[in-house]
Amino acid sequence: MILENSLQHKLKERTEKNLFRQRFKRSTPIEADVIVDGKKYLNFSSNDYLGLANHPHVIHAFKKGVDQYGVGSGASALLGGYTHAHHALEEELAHFFNYPRCLLFSSGFMANSGVIHALTQKKDSIFIDKLAHASLIDASLSSPAALFRYKHNNTIDLKHKLKKSIHAIPFLITEGVFSMEGDLACLEKLISIKNETKGVLIVDDAHGIGVIGNKGQGSTEGKQHAVSMLVGTFGKALGTSGAFVAGSDVSIEALIQYARSYIYTTAQAPALCEATRASLKLLESETWRRTHLNNLIAYFQTQANSLGLTILKSSTPIQAILLGEDKKTMICFEQLKKRGVWVAAIRPPTVPPGRSLLRITLNAHHQISHLDYLLSCLSYFLINKNDEL
Ligand SMILES: *Cc1c(COP(=O)(O)O)cnc(C)c1O
């Protein structure tokens, strides 16, 4: 019972600090409206930025994939789980993102684990942005290389840490779009530091792909030659599930040989690859989704600012209202929920202490009228009723 007691204590503490996490059961696809625990909400919490998760072409491709391959892939990629669907998706991704080669992973978490673990060695050093995703941090912690965490988007701190380190290869690691606050990495600066130090730059662009750039290649669009490895996930704008890593021929071959999270896991379901192939086509054919989304983003920023809401500056679908206090964040979440609006309440350790926020995500299903309703609720609670929170 010692374990049970200590867990109970830990959970109680988490609850008292307003940090307890709860899951809610949704019964509908991701659209502008969703039904959660039997009640309808206007949804501002999904990462399905382009509205592809329930797109008829994607669904059709998935079903066709099931008809051809069945459901499970049956084995790991190296032991027979790799199909024509996997291969075709890898080729199409490499072409779309303008890299020599791509490799599929079952999730972004595993892609980051695989890349960092397979490519770094004891004599190297990793320099990672302090606000980088948990999967990047965990992968870096488990690497034998020395680890330095530089202040968020602060290349002066990065350079300072580079000077202090003795290493064979410096690995610079960042998110392209920071997943909680929605701001962009200072890629130009990171690229020049990478070039000066003859280092490796790894960009996890989970939230940029499909959304940023004229072609939707993400925050590295046009800079592929300078970004050594690009990690992308399918669970966000592509509306499916899984991930990929893009890079040089040699680095991808090294991943196939050494990335444990690639080798020792069942290959993705082939039908899922077919669905992602359909999503990728839609990035190119339904560009109105990106345009519409960008209009929504611009509108939301302008209106929030003119209403006096303290919204973080962001040109991405991730719009954060920084509240700071965990309790206030939860009260706001509950109040919005009562009015039929679903947003994400983000608290530590997902964000640093004191940076709790409402994470509002916009997607191509939204209309201006949806945003107006959200804005009216937000300004009612955060401006008119602020004293009561
Ligand atoms: C979501 C996310 C991941 C994890 O991707 P999954 O495919 O959901 O495991 C990795 N990195 C970042 C920046 C993410 O936002």
Side-chain angles (χ1 to χ4, degrees):
M1 289 313 278
I2 297 175
L3 173 65
E4 298 283 312
N5 286 343
S6 103
L7 290 178
Q8 213 112 60
H9 178 73
K10 245 177 111 169
L11 291 171
K12 191 165 159 258
E13 207 172 55
R14 182 165 259 226
T15 310
E16 283 165 3
K17 287 183 176 161
N18 294 300
L19 297 179
F20 194 76
R21 267 69 169 165
Q22 246 182 307
R23 298 174 303 165
F24 302 92
K25 298 180 290 299
R26 172 168 52 85
S27 50
T28 53
I30 298 277
E31 296 276 349
D33 287 322
V34 290
I35 293 175
V36 177
D37 288 336
K39 211 184 136 193
K40 190 164 130 182
Y41 295 93
L42 190 51
N43 181 31
F44 288 100
S45 71
S46 92
N47 298 323
D48 180 26
Y49 303 123
L50 297 175
L52 299 183
N54 194 35
H55 191 291
H57 291 189
V58 180
I59 294 171
H60 177 72
F62 187 77
K63 286 181 174 165
K64 250 182 90 185
V66 170
D67 288 341
Q68 183 175 351
Y69 294 102
V71 178
S73 69
S76 67
L78 300 189
L79 299 181
Y82 190 68
T83 63
H84 282 286
H86 295 87
H87 184 69
L89 177 57
E90 285 178 350
E91 301 261 290
E92 285 159 14
L93 287 164
H95 183 254
F96 181 79
F97 288 100
N98 218 353
Y99 275 90
R101 208 171 168 196
C102 269
L103 187 67
L104 302 181
F105 282 80
S106 298
S107 75
F109 203 103
M110 293 165 84
N112 284 332
S113 162
V115 171
I116 295 175
H117 210 265
L119 302 188
T120 58
Q121 292 184 278
K122 193 163 190 292
K123 56 187 189 215
D124 301 325
S125 286
I126 294 173
F127 301 85
I128 185 166
D129 189 289
K130 272 216 167 128
L131 289 194
H133 192 260
S135 57
L136 292 166
I137 306 274
D138 282 12
S140 303
L141 284 169
S142 74
S143 154
L147 176 59
F148 299 84
R149 294 178 70 182
Y150 63 89
K151 288 183 196 152
H152 177 51
N153 257 344
N154 185 329
T155 47
I156 295 170
D157 190 40
L158 167 60
K159 281 185 186 165
H160 180 67
K161 291 191 157 69
L162 269 160
K163 262 196 207 131
K164 283 202 308 195
S165 156
I166 299 163
H167 47 250
I169 303 172
F171 284 77
L172 314 182
I173 301 179
T174 186
E175 286 185 43
V177 172
F178 286 88
S179 49
M180 293 301 133
E181 301 196 359
D183 54 332
L184 301 173
C186 47
L187 277 186
E188 295 290 351
K189 285 186 192 168
L190 290 172
I191 287 169
S192 65
I193 295 174
K194 172 232 158 193
N195 290 338
E196 282 161 26
T197 58
K198 299 194 169 48
V200 173
L201 175 60
I202 301 177
V203 177
D204 174 350
D205 205 26
H207 297 275
I209 281 166
V211 170
I212 296 180
N214 275 335
K215 298 183 185 140
Q217 290 172 348
S219 42
T220 64
E221 185 169 304
K223 303 185 183 78
Q224 284 91 339
H225 58 284
V227 174
S228 329
M229 311 291 287
L230 170 68
V231 179
T233 63
F234 305 143
K236 278 122 194 184
L238 285 155
T240 62
S241 179
F244 72 92
V245 177
S248 68
D249 273 322
V250 177
S251 55
I252 296 298
E253 194 54 48
L255 292 182
I256 297 172
Q257 303 302 320
Y258 303 115
R260 295 167 71 84
S261 62
Y262 182 72
I263 300 166
Y264 299 106
T265 196
T266 302
Q268 253 208 328
L272 207 44
C273 298
E274 294 294 359
T276 307
R277 292 178 69 195
S279 290
L280 198 61
K281 282 209 190 91
L282 290 164
L283 288 194
E284 295 177 281
S285 62
E286 298 192 352
T287 52
W288 66 266
R289 291 176 181 274
R290 203 152 42 245
T291 313
H292 175 56
L293 181 59
N294 281 317
N295 290 340
L296 294 172
I297 293 166
Y299 180 81
F300 192 72
Q301 280 273 317
T302 312
Q303 291 300 107
N305 279 316
S306 72
L307 287 167
L309 289 163
T310 50
I311 188 161
L312 298 183
K313 200 166 177 291
S314 160
S315 57
T316 71
I318 302 166
Q319 299 287 317
I321 306 226
L322 189 64
L323 297 177
E325 287 168 44
D326 310 329
K327 190 169 176 196
K328 186 171 173 179
T329 306
M330 283 320 285
I331 294 173
C332 258
F333 165 74
E334 292 294 344
Q335 293 288 354
L336 288 168
K337 201 171 141 210
K338 265 190 207 155
R339 311 229 150 188
V341 173
W342 199 279
V343 301
I346 308 289
R347 294 156 292 160
T350 310
V351 286
R355 283 193 84 79
S356 281
L357 51 88
L358 292 179
R359 181 177 183 268
I360 294 157
T361 47
L362 305 178
N363 70 55
H365 288 305
H366 291 136
Q367 301 300 330
I368 293 288
S369 59
H370 298 139
L371 271 53
D372 285 338
Y373 182 66
L374 169 65
L375 285 159
S376 74
C377 294
L378 285 169
S379 57
Y380 180 72
F381 294 120
L382 293 172
I383 297 171
N384 304 350
K385 294 266 185 183
N386 194 23
D387 296 344
E388 293 167 33
L389 289 179

